[in-house]
Amino acid sequence: MQPIRQILEEAPDAIPIPEELKYRRIELIIWPLGDKPKETKAAPNFKVAQVERIDIPSREERNVRR
């Protein structure tokens, strides 16, 4: 038997069960679709430095033996 998947635009007070599924062991999953508000990005919890220029040494300069 194939599972029944049905999307309801407005959920009714009661959901009818088809005759062939009555009095049988079934799984009913109710999953809301599209009702979540869009998430807004919160400001980061860290401070951002305001600098004019970032100076990054080359690999050779970083790995020079002293």
Side-chain angles (χ1 to χ4, degrees):
M1 178 177 276
Q2 291 292 333
I4 298 171
R5 181 176 184 191
Q6 186 177 19
I7 296 177
L8 304 171
E9 293 301 323
E10 282 192 27
D13 292 334
I15 298 173
I17 303 296
E19 280 297 320
E20 63 269 11
L21 295 178
K22 284 187 179 180
Y23 310 111
R24 296 184 67 177
R25 186 171 183 236
I26 65 170
E27 176 182 9
L28 177 66
I29 299 172
I30 299 176
W31 192 304
L33 300 175
D35 289 343
K36 284 185 177 179
K38 292 187 178 183
E39 295 179 14
T40 57
K41 291 187 176 181
N45 292 336
F46 54 88
K47 294 182 180 180
V48 177
Q50 299 294 326
V51 296
E52 291 180 19
R53 181 175 159 217
I54 298 174
D55 199 11
I56 301 175
S58 69
R59 179 179 293 194
E60 291 80 20
E61 291 173 328
R62 288 192 311 255
N63 295 323
V64 69
R65 299 212 179 228
R66 295 180 182 161

